[in-house]
Amino acid sequence: MILQILILIVGLVFVVKGADFLVDGASAIARRFKVSEFVIGLTIVGFGTSCPELVVSVTGALTGSSDVAAGNVIGSNIMNTLLILGLTAVVSPILITSQNKKRDIPLTLGVTVLFILLGMNKSLLGLGSSDMISRLEGFVFLTLFVSYLYICFKLDSKEGNDDSDGEYQEMKIGKSILLVILGLAGLIGGGRMFVNSATHIATILGVSEKFIAITILAGGTSLPELVTCVIAAAKGKGQLALGNILGSNIFNILLILGCAAVVRPISMANMNWVDMAALLVSALFIMLISNRGKIDRCGGIALLCFEIAYMTYLITTL
């Protein structure tokens, strides 16, 4: 028990310090190459913090566990938006740029709607023999993902990096890259240590497996996003935090589900309509509150209230 507590603490330290390194290194790279912190958050940070979901979903597809692949992405995206973005906004309000409102947030909503329509095609549209994401649809997701990355970097290079936050000390590129690598390693490795030890401790204390699955394991793959965004917000880098959340959600659907579906078609037959509705509502809510030009603390609290209501539903329907 004492050993597990020590591992839990060490894992948490790795996650927090890893997020600190990642934010500093990614911000330095953005300044060095005159790329906006939002795009860096969308790509480098978004991909790095989505690695746990990628491993879980592709492994689930390889072993024929479609529920794991689809459920992991749905649950992660809901938690990213409601819990992580909500908590981040409470720590520090997040400014929404015109580019976010015109392109990034609508695209996140569009990708979510596309996923629901393709995944639930039989139930919603009466098409096909079952609700599933086929290999062809997986290739479509991957094509859209590559196209989106190209557009982001293309437009960003034209518009320039205008999200500087004052004076800063330029960091050598080698050190920046090293910080990013160490940060990602700390996030992923520390997150795994934290989840494993927390699960052992909960089991020793007699907590039910279902409760462990909903709380510790469900939150485990989103822990990197959570800590990274909160630290980014505390450092006044809201665009990096927003890019991380939107990037992770887009990565989860287009890249991770795309890869998983190419490996093996993903059945959506067992997906709960409440989960799909929560996924859609979370994306719609971001669209609505972003029209005010920022996600303020009130908006963050509203997101957290939605998360509490959703988690209450999950626990009471076990």
Side-chain angles (χ1 to χ4, degrees):
M1 181 71 169
I2 295 177
L3 177 60
Q4 293 301 328
I5 293 175
L6 288 175
I7 294 175
L8 182 78
I9 295 172
V10 171
L12 186 58
V13 169
F14 279 176
V15 169
V16 172
K17 199 60 184 176
D20 191 38
F21 283 170
L22 180 59
V23 170
D24 288 345
S27 297
I29 290 174
R31 296 186 189 283
R32 165 74 66 169
F33 292 102
K34 301 188 185 307
V35 177
S36 69
E37 288 182 349
F38 177 84
V39 170
I40 291 295
L42 191 77
T43 54
I44 296 175
V45 181
F47 176 75
T49 57
S50 289
C51 281
E53 286 93 339
L54 177 62
V55 173
V56 170
S57 294
V58 173
T59 301
L62 286 170
T63 58
S65 301
S66 298
D67 289 351
V68 172
N72 180 52
V73 165
I74 293 171
S76 180
N77 279 19
I78 292 172
M79 185 169 286
N80 282 349
T81 304
L82 298 183
L83 174 63
I84 299 176
L85 192 59
L87 189 58
T88 303
V90 169
V91 172
S92 179
I94 301 172
L95 294 178
I96 305 294
T97 66
S98 59
Q99 183 173 278
N100 295 153
K101 288 192 285 187
K102 292 177 182 178
R103 183 192 70 194
D104 305 304
I105 294 175
L107 185 62
T108 302
L109 175 60
V111 167
T112 301
V113 171
L114 179 65
F115 165 56
I116 294 174
L117 289 176
L118 293 181
M120 311 297 286
N121 55 352
K122 184 176 185 298
S123 298
L124 287 176
L125 307 175
L127 301 175
S129 57
S130 62
D131 290 328
M132 67 182 301
I133 299 176
S134 65
R135 281 194 173 90
L136 177 60
E137 291 164 345
F139 279 115
V140 170
F141 280 174
L142 293 177
T143 302
L144 290 174
F145 173 72
V146 173
S147 300
Y148 177 57
L149 286 187
Y150 174 78
I151 291 171
C152 281
F153 278 105
K154 191 74 173 177
L155 292 180
D156 198 65
S157 63
K158 289 181 180 179
E159 295 171 2
N161 182 3
D162 58 357
D163 56 6
S164 298
D165 53 5
E167 296 183 1
Y168 67 96
Q169 184 175 3
E170 185 170 319
M171 187 184 298
K172 292 183 179 179
I173 187 62
K175 182 179 178 181
S176 302
I177 295 173
L178 180 61
L179 283 179
V180 169
I181 294 172
L182 290 176
L184 290 174
L187 282 170
I188 297 170
R192 181 180 291 273
M193 290 173 65
F194 181 87
V195 171
N196 289 343
S197 60
T199 302
H200 280 300
I201 293 171
T203 302
I204 293 172
L205 295 176
V207 178
S208 70
E209 291 183 0
K210 291 181 180 179
F211 187 79
I212 292 172
I214 281 185
T215 55
I216 299 172
L217 297 182
T221 56
S222 292
L223 188 61
E225 286 94 339
L226 174 60
V227 180
T228 300
C229 286
V230 170
I231 288 181
K235 289 174 176 283
K237 301 182 183 299
Q239 276 289 294
L240 193 149
L242 181 64
N244 182 24
I245 291 299
L246 297 185
S248 292
N249 285 358
I250 292 173
F251 267 69
N252 286 347
I253 292 176
L254 296 184
L255 176 63
I256 295 176
L257 277 184
C259 288
V262 168
V263 171
R264 179 173 295 181
I266 299 173
S267 173
M268 301 284 289
N270 295 325
M271 291 298 104
N272 190 314
W273 277 103
V274 175
D275 298 330
M276 303 301 283
L279 179 66
L280 180 60
V281 168
S282 64
L284 280 170
F285 191 74
I286 293 300
M287 172 77 81
L288 292 175
I289 62 177
S290 66
N291 289 331
R292 294 181 295 180
K294 67 177 180 179
I295 304 176
D296 56 18
R297 287 188 172 90
C298 290
I301 291 172
L303 288 171
L304 291 176
C305 288
F306 275 118
E307 172 68 11
I308 292 171
Y310 177 63
M311 291 301 295
T312 301
Y313 163 79
L314 289 180
I315 293 172
T316 56
T317 55
L318 279 176

